[in-house]
Amino acid sequence: MDMSKQELNEMVKPIMSPTRREWTNIDKTIACLLFFLHALCIFAPFHFTWSAFWVAVVLYSITGLFGITISYHRNLSHKSFKLPKWLEYLFSYCGVQAFQGDPIDWVSTHRCHHQFVDTDNDPHDSNQGFWFSHITWVLDSYNLTKKVCGKYFNESKETKKYLFKETKKYLFALVTKHERPDNVKDLEKQIFYTFIHKTYLLHPIALAVLLYMVGGLPFVLWGMCVRIVMSYHAIFMVNSVCHKWGKKQWNTTDLSRNNWWVSLLTFGEGWHNNHHAFEYSARYGLEWWQLDFAWYVIMFLKAIGVATDVKLPTQSHKQRMKLEHIN
C-alpha cells in the first residue's frame, strides 16, 4: 500500500546544516576529493593544449553518454533495455571512469530517489534547497545511509558510534554509505560489479596514470580534473535545476521539469519530467524536437540487433497522463 507524502516526510528528520552536524570519515574523504578536483581545475588554463582539450571532450562524451546516461541510468537503474553482458559491462566501466561512484552505489541511490522522489526520504530531496539537491547531499553519509539503507539502519548509540568511525571495508573502495543497500541485489549477484565496488579507486587512478604517460600534466588536468568536475555539475543539475526550473508536461506528483539546456549537457537527461512520468522508458526526449543523444545510440544498437527489449511509453499511457494533467 502506497504511503502519503506526509507519512514519507515523517520517516526521516530534516537534514542538519553541514556546519552544525558532525562529519563522518566518509564525509571528510568525499569533501577532500571534491575540493582537490575543483582546486586543480584552476591550473588547467595554464596548461592548455588543444590535444588535452579534445581528450577532455572525448572522455566527457564516453563517460557521460555511454557510462552514466546509457549504462548507469537507463540500463542498470531502470532496465529500460537489455544488452549482451560483454557490452553491458563495457558501458558500465565507462561510467566507472566518470568518478561518480561504482555501479552498485550509484544505482542504489538513484532507485531510492525514484521511490521517494521529492520527500525527506529522497537522497537529494529538492525541497531542502538548491545546493542540497545539487551537491551537498553527497557530503552527509549518515543521512544518505539512513535513506538508502533504512532496512539495516537504527538510531541506537552503538550504530552512531560505528558510523562515525572509519567504515571502509576495502582500501580502494569509494563509498558514500555505511551499510549495504537492499535495492541492488541484481547487481550484487554479479562478480563484475562486486569487483568494481571493492576496487573502485584503482580504475580512475589507472586512467590518470595512462593519461600522464601519454600527454603529461595537461592531459591529467583536462582529461581528469576538468572533465570530471564538468561531468559532476552537469549530472547534478538534473537533481537540482530540473527539479526547480523548466516545463512540466506530465501529471507527475513530484517537482521534475523538462529543461532543454541541461539536456544538451547530459545527452538527453534534461527531459526529466518525461523521465519521471515514464520511468521505464529508454527514450526521454519524447517529442521529435527534444534532442536525446542517448536514445539515438540505443536506437542504433536496437537496429543492429544488440539492444533488445527496448521499452517505450504506450500511447494510452501518455494519453492517460495528459488527461490527468489537463483535469
Side-chain angles (χ1 to χ4, degrees):
M1 183 175 180
D2 293 337
M3 292 181 287
S4 67
K5 278 195 173 183
Q6 182 178 357
E7 290 173 319
L8 292 174
N9 284 332
E10 292 175 351
M11 291 178 63
V12 176
K13 296 177 182 179
I15 305 298
M16 293 181 62
S17 168
T19 59
R20 296 177 60 187
R21 64 175 173 81
E22 187 175 354
W23 286 50
T24 68
N25 289 333
I26 289 179
D27 299 339
K28 295 173 183 176
T29 300
I30 300 297
C32 287
L33 285 173
L34 288 174
F35 175 79
F36 185 65
L37 286 169
H38 282 75
L40 285 177
C41 290
I42 298 174
F43 301 99
F46 303 102
H47 296 272
F48 176 85
T49 67
W50 282 109
S51 296
F53 172 81
W54 286 113
V55 165
V57 171
V58 170
L59 286 177
Y60 180 91
S61 300
I62 292 174
T63 60
L65 174 59
F66 294 97
I68 299 299
T69 300
I70 293 179
S71 175
Y72 275 25
H73 193 193
R74 306 194 192 193
N75 182 225
L76 299 182
S77 295
H78 295 288
K79 300 183 178 180
S80 58
F81 62 95
K82 294 180 180 178
L83 292 172
K85 280 299 176 184
W86 67 269
L87 190 57
E88 174 188 320
Y89 293 158
L90 177 62
F91 283 179
S92 66
Y93 193 77
C94 293
V96 169
Q97 296 297 351
F99 206 55
Q100 294 182 22
D102 68 274
I104 289 176
D105 190 61
W106 199 102
V107 171
S108 72
T109 302
H110 188 72
R111 287 177 179 176
C112 184
H113 164 64
H114 276 271
Q115 184 179 1
F116 303 110
V117 59
D118 289 326
T119 70
D120 284 344
N121 267 10
D122 184 349
H124 34 79
D125 175 21
S126 59
N127 290 304
Q128 297 189 42
F130 176 86
W131 288 112
F132 176 82
S133 62
H134 187 74
I135 194 169
T136 60
W137 65 274
V138 303
L139 303 177
D140 193 349
S141 58
Y142 176 80
N143 276 286
L144 187 57
T145 302
K146 188 174 182 180
K147 295 173 181 182
V148 183
C149 311
K151 181 177 179 180
Y152 306 103
F153 191 93
N154 63 70
E155 291 281 8
S156 68
K157 292 183 179 179
E158 290 75 15
T159 297
K160 291 182 179 179
K161 183 178 179 181
Y162 169 75
L163 291 181
F164 284 88
K165 292 181 179 179
E166 181 59 59
T167 58
K168 293 183 180 179
K169 297 180 180 179
Y170 307 99
L171 179 61
F172 296 106
L174 177 66
V175 295
T176 56
K177 308 175 188 72
H178 298 270
E179 295 289 343
R180 289 175 55 188
D182 63 347
N183 59 352
V184 281
K185 296 186 185 299
D186 54 325
L187 301 185
E188 290 180 325
K189 292 178 181 178
Q190 302 181 54
I191 296 176
F192 175 80
Y193 294 119
T194 56
F195 171 75
I196 294 296
H197 180 73
K198 296 175 183 178
T199 63
Y200 181 72
L201 285 175
L202 288 175
H203 305 281
I205 290 174
L207 177 59
V209 171
L210 177 62
L211 289 176
Y212 183 79
M213 292 173 62
V214 174
L217 186 59
F219 273 34
V220 175
L221 289 175
W222 285 88
M224 294 298 294
C225 302
V226 174
R227 184 262 305 180
I228 288 174
V229 167
M230 290 293 293
S231 178
Y232 275 164
H233 290 290
I235 203 66
F236 286 169
M237 281 192 289
V238 178
N239 302 333
S240 56
V241 173
C242 290
H243 279 257
K244 190 172 181 65
W245 296 293
K247 294 185 178 180
K248 190 176 179 69
Q249 183 177 354
W250 308 98
N251 182 32
T252 60
T253 58
D254 52 68
L255 300 176
S256 60
R257 298 289 188 270
N258 287 335
N259 189 296
W260 67 269
W261 59 269
V262 174
S263 187
L264 289 178
L265 294 173
T266 57
F267 309 101
E269 297 293 289
W271 307 117
H272 202 50
N273 185 235
N274 293 352
H275 171 50
H276 275 272
F278 313 102
E279 296 175 12
Y280 59 86
S281 176
R283 181 179 183 180
Y284 295 175
L286 299 178
E287 305 292 343
W288 66 267
W289 48 268
Q290 294 178 333
L291 295 177
D292 185 355
F293 296 104
W295 168 243
Y296 305 150
V297 174
I298 295 170
M299 195 163 46
F300 171 75
L301 295 175
K302 180 183 178 182
I304 63 176
V306 176
T308 57
D309 195 22
V310 178
K311 298 181 178 66
L312 295 171
T314 62
Q315 284 301 120
S316 61
H317 191 186
K318 289 195 288 187
Q319 187 65 23
R320 190 161 63 250
M321 295 293 289
K322 277 284 191 179
L323 286 172
E324 291 177 2
H325 177 72
I326 293 174
N327 292 336

